[in-house]
Amino acid sequence: MSRARRRLGSAPLRRLFEILAGPVAARTQAGSFYRGLRAVAVDGTTLSIPDEEAVTWRFPKHGGQVLEFGYPLLRLVALVECGTRALLGAAFGPDTTGELGYARRLLSHLDTSMVLLADAYYDAYDFLEAVTGTGASFLLRSTRKRRPTVRHPLPDGSYLTTVCAGRYQAGRGYGRLEVRIIEAWMTIELADGTRRTELWRLMTSLLDAQSYPAHELIALYHRRWQAETCYFSLKSTILDGRVLRSRTVPGIEQEVYALLTVYQALVRTADDLVTAQPGLSAERVSMIVLLNAAAGLTRRYSCVGGDDGSGHAPVSRPEKPARGVSHAPRTPAVSAERHEAGRVTMDVY
């Protein structure tokens, strides 16, 4: 199998993911749209890969003053549709490249119908200018080091200002980008009663305070955390916290694309469930239930015995399932599909 995988390479799986990737939410899907704009979020994470010489030349380990430590890491940055948590695109590679470097590869997936949500790491002028060039709007958290000047106060308490490029560009001078700043005090209260209050400064290209009120944008920004839910599903639910198994660079690329493909296929299955049951939100569909149901439906059946002269069809029985996967009922495949489909429909949280 490993030799067959090496001959196959990662290109077919990359193409399969590209076919499945994309937004899935209809206009009526709750949590996916804001005033006609599709809400998408960009964020990054890391995956642990095997500590092998055939790998570390591409994915170097972190090193201290004396020794290297930990597993080599692969950085993954994805563009996620809010509400459904579908993947619009993904880019990955060594973690020596920052998230912005991979995020720029995903800009082609943006268009005028979208608003991009992002963390403070993404407030670099070049990146915001590139996002604006796609026609998409953005809403992100500004870093603390920015001290914007109030140029034009707005009725809802927000104000307009400009963001300047950090360096001079010949023929263009210092680039300027007009943005709107929304300041809000966030209070966090923990279970033990501890309270913490801090100032959040949001930056957006949605300049019209009447069409896009400040309190709505503050609530909209919290949908950004659905990118973290996506990564939880990838790393904890599907991978179950395991280190990637491939011990070659092409094998790792192939494994990551396979992981993304399986995740996107499950998300599209969840969208089918939401379509079949009006009123059900995609956010309530359990990824664990989807994964277990898919494992049951794809379990292969092996044929034992043969025609004994009675005219009866050969008896089929499922192979022994992997550890942690429940046994499929000893019934024909059609009945098994009906049984598992019922689980997907009923088991939601």
Side-chain angles (χ1 to χ4, degrees):
M1 281 294 293
S2 61
R3 290 195 295 269
R5 284 183 56 188
R6 285 197 293 269
R7 291 195 301 269
L8 180 66
S10 62
L13 284 171
R14 181 180 68 247
R15 181 56 184 155
L16 180 59
F17 169 67
E18 292 172 350
I19 292 173
L20 289 177
V24 302
R27 289 286 175 178
T28 56
Q29 174 66 49
S32 295
F33 290 87
Y34 169 70
R35 292 183 176 265
L37 296 174
R38 188 184 302 272
V40 298
V42 63
D43 206 350
T45 190
T46 56
L47 299 173
S48 298
I49 59 179
D51 187 358
E52 299 284 344
E53 291 185 1
V55 170
T56 52
W57 70 269
R58 172 65 173 164
F59 301 93
K61 298 178 63 175
H62 288 268
Q65 296 181 352
V66 180
L67 298 174
E68 295 178 330
F69 59 90
Y71 282 103
L73 296 178
L74 175 147
R75 190 181 303 281
L76 170 67
V77 177
L79 189 63
V80 182
E81 180 182 50
C82 298
T84 64
R85 301 185 293 275
L87 295 173
L88 278 67
F92 60 88
D95 73 332
T96 51
T97 300
E99 291 184 17
L100 278 175
Y102 295 113
R104 289 188 177 93
R105 303 181 189 178
L106 304 177
L107 293 178
S108 60
H109 299 284
L110 299 177
D111 56 42
T112 56
S113 66
M114 299 178 182
V115 54
L116 177 68
L117 312 180
D119 198 4
Y121 182 81
Y122 294 87
D123 78 335
Y125 171 83
D126 292 343
F127 181 73
L128 297 181
E129 184 182 41
V131 172
T132 304
T134 66
S137 304
F138 62 81
L139 172 64
L140 50 84
R141 187 179 174 186
S142 175
T143 55
R144 294 179 178 272
K145 66 181 180 181
R146 289 194 181 276
R147 296 292 185 268
T149 301
V150 180
R151 298 189 179 277
H152 181 67
L154 298 175
D156 62 353
S158 61
Y159 57 89
L160 300 181
T161 187
T162 55
V163 176
C164 300
R167 62 181 183 276
Y168 180 84
Q169 298 179 354
R172 297 180 56 186
Y174 288 96
R176 294 178 180 273
L177 185 65
E178 187 174 16
V179 297
R180 176 180 166 205
I181 301 295
I182 302 171
E183 296 181 348
W185 288 97
M186 299 291 179
T187 300
I188 302 173
E189 184 172 354
L190 304 181
D192 61 358
T194 304
R195 292 170 61 91
R196 185 182 69 191
T197 301
E198 58 182 293
L199 176 65
W200 279 29
R201 184 178 289 116
L202 302 182
M203 181 187 304
T204 180
S205 59
L206 300 173
L207 306 181
D208 190 345
Q210 184 174 0
S211 300
Y212 309 102
H215 70 277
E216 291 185 2
L217 295 182
I218 293 173
L220 172 65
Y221 178 74
H222 287 278
R223 300 186 196 176
R224 184 192 72 81
W225 289 100
Q226 294 189 23
E228 302 290 348
T229 306
C230 166
Y231 290 140
F232 181 85
S233 298
L234 286 168
K235 300 168 66 174
S236 297
T237 303
I238 300 179
L239 276 180
D240 196 22
R242 297 188 302 269
V243 177
L244 296 180
R245 294 176 295 180
S246 301
R247 300 179 183 275
T248 63
V249 172
I252 288 175
E253 294 175 351
Q254 189 181 69
E255 190 173 352
V256 173
Y257 279 121
L259 175 67
L260 298 174
T261 299
V262 169
Y263 172 84
Q264 184 69 0
L266 293 176
V267 168
R268 290 194 174 275
T269 302
D271 182 66
D272 292 341
L273 294 174
V274 173
T275 303
Q277 291 193 9
L280 175 64
S281 172
E283 299 176 9
R284 298 190 61 228
V285 179
S286 170
M287 181 61 67
I288 295 177
V289 172
L290 285 172
L291 182 62
N292 290 339
L297 289 173
T298 56
R299 188 175 298 123
R300 294 173 299 179
Y301 283 77
S302 61
C303 179
V304 295
D307 189 353
D308 56 3
S310 62
H312 297 291
V315 179
S316 298
R317 67 182 181 188
E319 295 179 353
K320 184 178 179 180
R323 181 177 299 177
V325 179
S326 60
H327 287 268
R330 295 183 181 275
T331 53
V334 174
S335 298
E337 292 179 2
R338 187 181 300 114
H339 171 77
E340 296 292 351
R343 290 183 56 199
V344 175
T345 302
M346 296 173 60
D347 293 351
V348 294
Y349 59 81

